[in-house]
Amino acid sequence: MVDVSAERPALVACLRHALAFVALVGASTAGAQAVGHSQHERPPGMPGEPSTTALQGVAAACDAAVYAGHPLALGALLPQGNDTPQAPPPKPPKGTVFRDRAGTCVVRATAHDVEPPTTFARNDYSRRQPFNADSTFVLVYASGGYWHLYDARTLRYLKRLDGPAGDAEPQWHATDPNTLYYLPTNGGLKLYALDVRDNTTRVAADFSGRLPWADADHVWTKDEGSPSADGRYWGFQAEAGNAFAIRGFVVYDLATDRIVGTRATTVRPDHVSMSPSGRWFTSSGDEEGTWAWSPDFRMKKKLHHKSEHSDLAIGANGHDVYVSVDFQSPRGDVFFVDVDACPSVPAATPAAGVAECPRTVLFQTYLDGAHASLHFSGKAFANPGWVVVSSYDTQRTRSGAWPWYTDKVFAVELAPHPRMATLGYHEVSHYASYWTEPHASPNRALDRVMFNSNWGTSSADDVDDYMIVLRDRALPLAARGAAAPSTVAGRAR
């Protein structure tokens, strides 16, 4: 193995998440219903020999110890066959690169047992971009509600960030690698910009007195949304008081400091977001389903009848794409919708009269009784046409076999007959709690992927962050036009 971590800081004591959340950000018991990351009810290789060569930096270590100067050719993953779990190898020390049994280079990025933060140090969510604009920093969420900064090239722990705490919804600036946007915990009326170099904060946007609802005192996405890929357009749900009473939706243009559109609603969604292009605002909830709205809220289209784990991505043709799973379908379809290609209807059209957008099935999860939970990440904006999937808590087939998608991180092309490739195995062999979910998320170029793991233990909080390091263009550019919708919804393939 190759150790690329720098000198380890001394161990510091951090409060447990629940206690620190109250102490640091003043969350009230009435605000408990505002916690993000909805947890929907789930449906009924050993590494190679370690290297001892001392090198500087993760990329160089992977080149020398795993890739040996040769391009990585990822093996094709086909939606068939079995993949029996193997016993996890010993947990690697922080900073040691090794060959995953998928053939990729993996490195443990955090070590909560010997450096801050304690209890767990993890990638926050699949729908959040962990890497900054040039992949020099990586963002880590920890017990105590704090956010921490690491050097993504050497994995050196840098600092605890001042400002964001709890569900602050941090979002990296699209082009400035030193700027991180965030909101007050569970939303507020100001959007802040933090310079991570010196922990100084400025107000980037102030919504005070600008919303059509006088009592709305916080805006947020409910923790699962993102701005447009260029960081210009932001979509929020506006809420009032400690009860988080929904008031409506807001689309905001950060470049011109202009509210583009608002829409009143009485139904609180699970979360909202902007699409990567900024052409669509999305609202997602089990009561009304998942919808895409024009930024002025004059038009809408129905993406899904439910609200499941999902994300928004860029298709190979440049269109916005919605990726999700349909647990109500006969075969547990994972599918995508070309949002731009789907016809719109006037916003006033009754929901019952709006047909769902055409969908393309990527693969099926109900295989002879097998099923799993899945997270999706479409954050590889610079390599469009791909989505990263992390499967976990997989259940076997009726015959006892493990399905092909068992407990791994893999990439899926957004195409009718997609190419797929295994990127790594997250080794969460014992799903213990929400914090142990892998939540894999790539950088924009799709040559780095972060994921979480309790590494074969049954612990609910012995969780660290791991990085998959790919060679440039290990995943080729998806075929142009591959995101065109088809009519394979509900049809077995």
Side-chain angles (χ1 to χ4, degrees):
M1 294 185 179
V2 178
D3 190 347
V4 299
S5 58
E7 190 174 312
R8 305 182 191 277
L11 177 66
V12 300
C14 292
L15 298 175
R16 291 298 297 265
H17 182 271
L19 295 176
F21 190 80
V22 174
L24 296 172
V25 302
S28 66
T29 56
Q33 62 182 294
V35 175
H37 296 351
S38 61
Q39 299 175 49
H40 299 290
E41 189 172 321
R42 291 184 295 278
M46 299 291 287
E49 289 298 313
S51 169
T52 56
T53 304
L55 293 172
Q56 293 295 318
V58 172
C62 285
D63 278 346
V66 175
Y67 298 135
H70 299 291
L72 169 66
L74 293 174
L77 180 64
L78 301 176
Q80 59 193 28
N82 303 321
D83 193 351
T84 302
Q86 299 181 18
K91 181 187 292 187
K94 171 178 171 169
T96 55
V97 304
F98 63 91
R99 183 186 299 277
D100 184 88
R101 65 180 187 267
T104 55
C105 185
V106 176
V107 58
R108 182 179 171 189
T110 66
H112 69 271
D113 50 341
V114 297
E115 67 181 15
T118 58
T119 308
F120 64 74
R122 67 191 301 279
N123 184 44
D124 175 55
Y125 199 51
S126 58
R127 294 182 58 134
R128 191 177 315 285
Q129 172 58 262
F131 293 92
N132 65 340
D134 61 2
S135 295
T136 54
F137 296 138
V138 66
L139 189 65
V140 170
Y141 183 65
S143 60
Y146 288 120
W147 296 86
H148 299 257
L149 193 68
Y150 288 73
D151 187 317
R153 297 161 297 188
T154 66
L155 306 180
R156 182 168 65 94
Y157 176 83
L158 298 176
K159 67 181 71 176
R160 189 190 79 193
L161 296 177
D162 291 343
D167 284 343
E169 304 191 5
Q171 302 285 347
W172 285 108
H173 192 286
T175 57
D176 180 357
N178 300 312
T179 296
L180 183 74
Y181 293 106
Y182 70 94
L183 292 164
T185 303
N186 291 345
L189 292 179
K190 292 181 180 178
L191 175 67
Y192 297 100
L194 171 70
D195 188 326
V196 298
R197 293 171 297 184
D198 58 9
N199 266 332
T200 57
T201 292
R202 62 178 174 83
V203 175
D206 190 343
F207 300 99
S208 303
R210 302 176 66 183
L211 303 178
W213 311 284
D215 62 344
D217 54 7
H218 52 266
V219 298
W220 64 326
T221 73
K222 203 163 172 285
D223 207 37
E224 295 189 20
S226 300
S228 57
D230 62 4
R232 176 171 180 173
Y233 295 101
W234 297 67
F236 301 110
Q237 57 192 67
E239 299 175 344
N242 289 334
F244 295 89
I246 187 68
R247 293 293 182 260
F249 302 144
V250 181
V251 171
Y252 172 72
D253 183 346
L254 181 61
T256 61
D257 188 27
R258 181 175 66 95
I259 293 178
V260 178
T262 61
R263 178 179 175 82
T265 186
T266 58
V267 179
R268 189 173 191 246
D270 181 80
H271 64 273
V272 300
S273 185
M274 290 303 296
S275 68
S277 71
R279 291 188 291 268
W280 304 101
F281 169 93
T282 60
S283 60
S284 184
D286 277 342
E287 187 171 347
E288 294 192 323
T290 302
W291 295 80
W293 306 80
S294 59
D296 58 8
F297 293 99
R298 293 179 180 178
M299 306 297 290
K300 67 182 180 183
K301 52 188 70 178
K302 190 172 186 178
L303 305 180
H304 194 12
H305 58 275
K306 294 283 285 184
S307 175
E308 303 290 359
H309 289 157
S310 64
D311 202 8
L312 294 152
I314 301 176
N317 59 0
H319 289 191
D320 288 321
V321 175
Y322 169 77
V323 187
S324 187
V325 58
D326 188 352
F327 287 133
Q328 289 73 49
S329 63
R331 297 181 180 271
D333 295 335
V334 171
F335 68 94
F336 74 85
V337 169
D338 185 326
V339 182
D340 290 305
C342 178
S344 299
V345 299
T349 305
V354 182
E356 286 189 41
C357 293
R359 63 172 60 171
T360 298
V361 174
L362 294 167
F363 60 88
Q364 295 154 345
T365 60
Y366 296 165
L367 305 174
D368 188 27
H371 57 84
S373 294
L374 304 162
H375 281 292
F376 305 94
S377 184
K379 295 299 180 281
F381 299 138
N383 196 349
W386 292 91
V387 64
V388 172
V389 182
S390 43
S391 62
Y392 63 99
D393 197 23
T394 306
Q395 305 300 309
R396 292 192 243 193
T397 66
R398 295 181 185 92
S399 63
W402 293 92
W404 62 269
Y405 52 72
T406 299
D407 297 348
K408 63 182 61 162
V409 179
F410 55 105
V412 181
E413 185 183 23
L414 297 168
H417 301 284
R419 292 173 288 181
M420 297 193 289
T422 300
L423 304 182
Y425 291 82
H426 51 65
E427 309 299 356
V428 182
S429 53
H430 300 282
Y431 172 67
S433 75
Y434 175 79
W435 299 122
T436 65
E437 293 179 9
H439 290 162
S441 184
N443 65 354
R444 291 186 175 230
L446 195 44
D447 58 15
R448 302 286 187 275
V449 180
M450 303 302 299
F451 68 89
N452 307 306
S453 182
N454 61 2
W455 207 264
T457 73
S458 58
S459 173
D461 55 15
D462 183 11
V463 176
D464 273 302
D465 211 355
Y466 292 78
M467 183 190 296
I468 300 170
V469 182
L470 302 176
R471 299 295 301 272
D472 290 345
R473 297 304 180 198
L475 285 165
L477 290 173
R480 293 197 59 81
S486 66
T487 56
V488 299
R491 176 171 64 86
R493 294 195 292 127

